[in-house]
Amino acid sequence: MESSKQSISPQTAHIISHTHWDREWYLPYEKHHVRLVKLVDELLNRLDEDNEFKSFYLDGQTIILEDYLQVRPENQERLQKYITEGRLLIGPWYILQDAFLTSGEANVRNMQIGHQDSKRYGEPSKIGYFPDTFGLVGQTPQLMLQSGINNAFFGRGVKPTGFNNTVSDGGYESSFSELIWEGPDGSKVLGILFANWYSNGNEVPVNEAEAKVFWEKKLADARKFASTGELLFMNGCDHQPAQLDLPEAIETAKRLYPDMEFIHSNFPDYLKAVEGVMDRSNLSTVKGELRSQHTDGWGTLVNTASARVYLKQRNQEGQILLEKLAEPLASFAHLLGKEYPHHLFTYAWKTLMQNHPHDSICGCSVDEVHREMVTRFDKSRHVAETIVEDSKRVIAEAVDTSGFTVYGEDVLPLVAMNMTGWSRTGTVSVELDVARLYLREGFSLEETASRMTGIDLHGRVLVDDQGNNIASQLEDLGLQFSYDLPDDKFRQPYMCRRVRLTFEAVEVPALGLRSYAWVRRADAKLPIAAESLLYGDRVLENDVIKVVINDDGSFMLSDKTSGVTYQDLGVYENTGDIGNEYMYKQPEAEQALTTKGLKANICVLENTSFRAAIEINHNWEIPASADDKLDEEQRALVYYPERKAQR
């Protein structure tokens, strides 16, 4: 399609002061933190001087306020003053996240918490701000509209073609820097593409000769893509200190171009001006997610999904723990009278989200950054696990297990909880204290050990709430030390005899539970065991799937419900990488190494009526590094897509 240019006279240059603040990246967090404090100190001093320095955008993330006030709490009133006056624009996010490596729920919480924090000072800026996000998810327009935001400012995922160029790239090109972005549900927002990046108005000269050269290029670049005469210039960049003499630089521009209007603007004023003159019928419409590889693929940085994989794994564990376990369990406990810990969830989510900025979760920062991320993952997890344990205890105590009293006093009841939205059968492992002796009871260590180790574990069986004996594995963990942490007493240490039971919990209801008990029973015979899931040492089979393992460790998987068979699963592949910390680049013409045909060491780990496991190991030699040419190319600054090194 072709687009006709609107009349662009008169023209206005909207210059927006900002800084794109990666909390951590090429420096560890605290080194960036010190620079942030200096930036905001200098900015506040400039705002104090007069009203000529109109406003500053704090990068769309409220964590900047937290980080600054952590060091400068005495300046909270000054911040509040300029936020109230609209000279410091805050929010709408808590942090600027990577959209694909974080869950949908994390993106929603990011927006919610950003709004909550903003409202402590005033109102969040209704700007869908994604200056440097490595691609955007398709539901973004929907999230924006539900957050009261009708726009999205972004830098990646769409290629600007310029006036009268033909759009031919499957909907991922736009004639103009303005476009319509449509989500899968039909939600539409005005998209503003930073076609010349979010630093296209950085460091505006005050000197007239320098300013003439600067503006001749910058104006031409902006006009190439703008659909109106309202031209956007972003005065800032990554960790960029505020340009404090911008009012003087704007006066220089006015003298050089008397027919143009130059204003120290902000996003709301810019949007109002654009929407007042824009003809939407001229704009391209882009649908769905914005990470099209047709934009050349490098800029959306999809390759970082495999960088420092342990970070992605820890993040997924943290998100699932909060979303699928802690929050539903806390909701159930609340129905039973326990206070819902909103404050703890906010803290846990914030701590987790501090690992979600694109340079952090993508794994492409300096090592110190990623070491600190591991600590944050632990901190968030520890809070979530505490909520889970407290909630489980409330729920379990509310379960009626009186039916098990028919087995006498020597009964250990337990419950299996299913936190999925469907009925589920699965293997459960649980640790039980068969007996305890508290240190306050005064027994000597020798007597305590004797009593605990003398407990007879024979004649016990696991039963369900219908009185059926359940097949289980028993592991005696022996003498253990632990302690209670009561709400109204000091820590209560004890010694105990502990066992681990592993069994199959069958058809546990969706978002529900089933109760069991480990009891001493005269009729301790187990039901006749089902057939083994293992056939020989290479075949695993149940009523749903069949797995046949080959000599090289690859395997065939047959889905009995669909009748589909998948061949050559479990084959590992290894290739070289001569890119950089952001971009994967395989050496040209390299043949991938695989484990296909490489004999594996295969052994049976577990074989019960309800679970079987086989371990597959390879001794596999792979090249240690690229050849010397990579070092030569790196030193010569050869662009990574053009490198010729091998392994």
Side-chain angles (χ1 to χ4, degrees), residues 265-289:
S265 190
N266 56 51
F267 284 120
D269 289 350
Y270 165 74
L271 280 172
K272 183 177 180 180
V274 168
E275 291 171 343
V277 297
M278 180 178 58
D279 182 357
R280 288 182 178 247
S281 66
N282 275 345
L283 302 185
S284 305
T285 295
V286 174
K287 297 183 179 182
E289 63 184 28

Side-chain angles (χ1 to χ4, degrees), residues 164-213:
N164 275 347
N165 279 11
T166 300
V167 175
S168 60
D169 191 24
Y172 289 100
E173 290 184 348
S174 173
S175 299
F176 304 122
S177 49
E178 301 81 26
L179 54 104
I180 303 300
W181 185 10
E182 181 177 342
D185 70 332
S187 297
K188 295 180 180 180
V189 296
L190 174 63
I192 304 295
L193 171 64
F194 292 126
N196 297 299
W197 210 228
Y198 54 79
S199 57
N200 68 321
N202 195 27
E203 298 180 351
V204 182
V206 176
N207 174 273
E208 285 197 9
E210 295 175 0
K212 182 69 174 176
V213 174

Side-chain angles (χ1 to χ4, degrees), residues 349-638:
W349 270 112
K350 279 188 167 184
T351 306
L352 181 63
M353 287 193 293
Q354 287 167 19
N355 286 343
H356 286 178
H358 45 270
D359 292 307
S360 301
I361 194 60
C362 286
C364 43
S365 299
V366 295
D367 289 344
E368 294 98 323
V369 165
H370 302 305
R371 286 199 293 269
E372 186 166 359
M373 287 177 64
V374 171
T375 298
R376 293 191 202 116
F377 283 132
D378 285 341
K379 288 162 66 72
S380 178
R381 175 173 57 85
H382 292 158
V383 175
E385 286 176 343
T386 301
I387 296 172
V388 167
E389 290 302 316
D390 290 347
S391 301
K392 284 196 305 184
R393 186 175 300 108
V394 170
I395 296 168
E397 289 174 353
V399 176
D400 182 6
T401 58
S402 60
F404 295 117
T405 57
V406 297
Y407 301 106
E409 297 181 357
D410 201 4
V411 171
L412 290 174
L414 59 115
V415 294
M417 300 180 185
N418 172 18
M419 302 315 298
T420 68
W422 55 88
S423 178
R424 185 178 177 190
T425 296
T427 303
V428 174
S429 288
V430 60
E431 293 185 4
L432 300 174
D433 290 353
V434 181
R436 294 180 179 180
L437 281 178
Y438 285 87
L439 270 61
R440 65 173 182 264
E441 297 180 60
F443 293 103
S444 67
L445 293 179
E446 182 180 1
E447 186 175 3
T448 297
S450 175
R451 283 173 174 253
M452 291 296 99
T453 57
I455 294 174
D456 183 11
L457 301 181
H458 294 91
R460 292 178 179 264
V461 67
L462 183 69
V463 298
D464 64 16
D465 53 5
Q466 302 301 312
N468 300 311
N469 289 2
I470 305 297
S472 64
Q473 283 182 296
L474 171 66
E475 183 181 356
D476 185 1
L477 302 179
L479 187 64
Q480 300 279 331
F481 170 80
S482 191
Y483 48 83
D484 294 332
L485 292 173
D487 292 334
D488 58 350
K489 294 180 181 178
F490 185 63
R491 180 179 65 250
Q492 302 291 300
Y494 62 83
M495 303 298 296
C496 68
R497 178 73 174 277
R498 186 167 295 167
V499 298
R500 179 182 293 117
L501 290 179
T502 302
F503 64 98
E504 183 180 40
V506 178
E507 295 297 329
V508 182
L511 292 172
L513 53 83
R514 289 195 67 184
S515 58
Y516 301 85
W518 198 47
V519 303
R520 193 177 297 279
R521 187 174 188 180
D523 176 19
K525 294 180 180 179
L526 294 177
I528 297 175
E531 293 184 7
S532 171
L533 301 175
L534 184 64
Y535 300 87
D537 59 356
R538 298 291 180 87
V539 180
L540 296 162
E541 185 173 7
N542 59 22
D543 56 354
V544 179
I545 61 172
K546 179 179 181 180
V547 176
V548 179
I549 301 172
N550 302 315
D551 289 344
D552 63 0
S554 65
F555 57 90
M556 175 197 75
L557 185 148
S558 297
D559 184 338
K560 294 183 177 181
T561 58
S562 67
V564 177
T565 295
Y566 304 90
Q567 300 283 355
D568 290 331
L569 302 180
V571 175
Y572 290 89
E573 178 179 285
N574 181 271
T575 63
D577 183 2
I578 57 172
N580 61 21
E581 66 269 36
Y582 291 91
M583 312 296 185
Y584 167 78
K585 171 69 165 68
Q586 185 175 355
E588 292 183 5
E590 181 200 27
Q591 293 297 312
L593 301 174
T594 77
T595 56
K596 188 68 175 173
L598 178 65
K599 187 172 177 58
N601 298 315
I602 302 170
C603 65
V604 176
L605 289 183
E606 183 178 2
N607 182 20
T608 68
S609 61
F610 51 84
R611 186 167 69 178
I614 292 178
E615 181 180 74
I616 302 169
N617 280 308
H618 289 95
N619 292 319
W620 189 24
E621 289 189 356
I622 59 175
S625 66
D627 58 26
D628 292 340
K629 188 171 182 60
L630 178 60
D631 183 62
E632 296 172 8
E633 290 177 324
Q634 289 173 329
R635 292 178 183 277
L637 303 181
V638 175

Side-chain angles (χ1 to χ4, degrees), residues 8 10-14 178 226 228-232 263 270 273-274 277:
I8 58 173
Q11 291 189 330
T12 301
H14 293 263
E178 301 81 26
T228 76
E230 306 297 330
L231 308 180
L232 177 62
I263 59 175
Y270 165 74
V274 168
V277 297

